[in-house]
């Protein structure tokens, strides 16, 4: 089974490759090549993920198997959607698992660890945005206690898409 650990500086290059691969695997069939390219160029590169790894407001966990990254989750101490009230909200910014590892518990482990991390930071609420056309992820988040609490617009390239906002209360540590 893959093991979860905190991201390290040396992960920037393989992490950027995994991020782009998982984004394309998930969304390429439902978006134009141009919008995918614009999004990927703006979001994934050695330099971009290096900056994220250095950013103290972003916490990244990676899941590794036989020296290969197979999943990741990112937590961000970010403002809460207006539709909910929380004193210390944390956003699960990204949670992706390589396709070969779907349905095998890797995502559950990442979710458990990232919620544990939010809890240890004193979070009282976790929230995230998920594309309305991503039923597997929505089912996954519902299974982990998230419920819809509004929506917002998320740009993929030049395409404004509707993301569901989902929230989950966090018990104090
Ligand atoms: C979302 C993700 C992290 C979930 O991990 P996973 O290992 O696939 O999770 P699960 O196998 O527990 O699947 C979640 C639920 O969705 C259900 N599901 C599976 N395929 C589905 C589909 N095509 N449509 C709707 N529901 C589906 C499963 O049945 C499961 O529920 P169950 O345990 O009650 O049967 C993973 O699929 C992933 O990395 N997807 C691509 C990236 C992504 O979409 N990330 C989220 C962006 S916001």
């Amino acid at each position: 089974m893959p093991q979860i650990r905190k991201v390290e500086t040396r992960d920037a290059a393989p992490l950027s490759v995994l991020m782009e691969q998982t984004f394309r695997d998930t969304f390429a069939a439902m978006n134009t090549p141009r919008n995918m390219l614009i999004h990927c160029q703006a979001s994934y590169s050695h330099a971009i993920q290096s900056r994220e790894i250095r950013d103290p407001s972003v916490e990244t966990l990676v899941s590794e198997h036989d020296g290969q990254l197979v999943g990741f989750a990112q937590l961000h101490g970010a403002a809460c959607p207006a539709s909910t009230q929380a004193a210390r909200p944390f956003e699960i910014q990204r949670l992706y698992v390589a396709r070969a590892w779907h349905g095998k518990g890797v995502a559950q482990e990442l979710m458990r660890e990232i919620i544990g991390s939010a809890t240890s930071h004193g979070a009282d609420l976790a929230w995230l945005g998920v594309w309305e056309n991503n039923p597997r992820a929505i089912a996954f988040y519902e299974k982990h206690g998230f419920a819809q609490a509004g929506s917002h617009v998320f740009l993929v390239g030049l395409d404004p898409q509707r993301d569901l906002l989902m929230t989950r209360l966090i018990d104090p540590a």
Side-chain angles (χ1 to χ4, degrees):
M1 239 339 242
Q3 298 293 311
I4 294 175
R5 62 173 172 80
K6 285 196 176 177
V7 76
E8 296 174 12
T9 312
R10 67 183 164 95
D11 295 316
L15 184 59
S16 66
V17 171
L18 179 66
M19 283 187 171
E20 177 158 354
Q21 186 61 55
T22 50
F23 188 85
R24 286 186 177 280
D25 284 349
T26 310
F27 301 116
M30 297 172 79
N31 289 278
T32 65
R34 179 152 186 260
N35 283 332
M36 292 298 290
L37 184 66
I38 294 170
H39 177 88
C40 289
Q41 284 183 339
S43 309
Y44 313 121
S45 72
H46 183 241
I48 294 170
Q49 271 61 62
S50 293
R51 267 201 306 280
E52 290 174 1
I53 291 170
R54 285 195 305 271
D55 182 344
S57 66
V58 179
E59 181 170 342
T60 305
L61 299 179
V62 293
S63 179
E64 187 177 41
H65 182 72
D66 282 348
Q68 299 280 319
L69 300 187
V70 300
F72 57 92
Q74 283 185 312
L75 189 67
H76 190 238
C80 194
S83 47
T84 62
Q85 292 192 334
R88 204 153 159 65
F90 273 76
E91 179 185 8
I92 298 178
Q93 243 180 353
R94 293 172 172 143
L95 197 160
Y96 285 70
V97 170
R99 190 166 268 173
W101 289 94
H102 288 184
K104 296 185 175 164
V106 174
Q108 279 88 338
E109 279 295 294
L110 279 167
M111 176 61 87
R112 200 173 57 78
E113 291 288 330
I114 209 81
I115 290 288
S117 186
T119 308
S120 67
H121 290 305
D124 57 354
L125 182 112
W127 69 277
L128 55 86
V130 54
W131 193 22
E132 60 181 341
N133 295 326
N134 190 351
R136 182 165 191 156
I138 293 168
F140 173 78
Y141 294 133
E142 283 172 344
K143 203 165 67 173
H144 289 273
F146 286 81
Q148 196 184 332
S151 65
H152 71 177
V153 171
F154 182 80
L155 260 190
V156 173
L158 306 175
D159 183 23
Q161 302 187 344
R162 182 168 173 264
D163 264 17
L164 308 184
L165 294 175
M166 301 186 79
T167 61
R168 168 187 155 163
L169 293 175
I170 299 208
D171 293 330

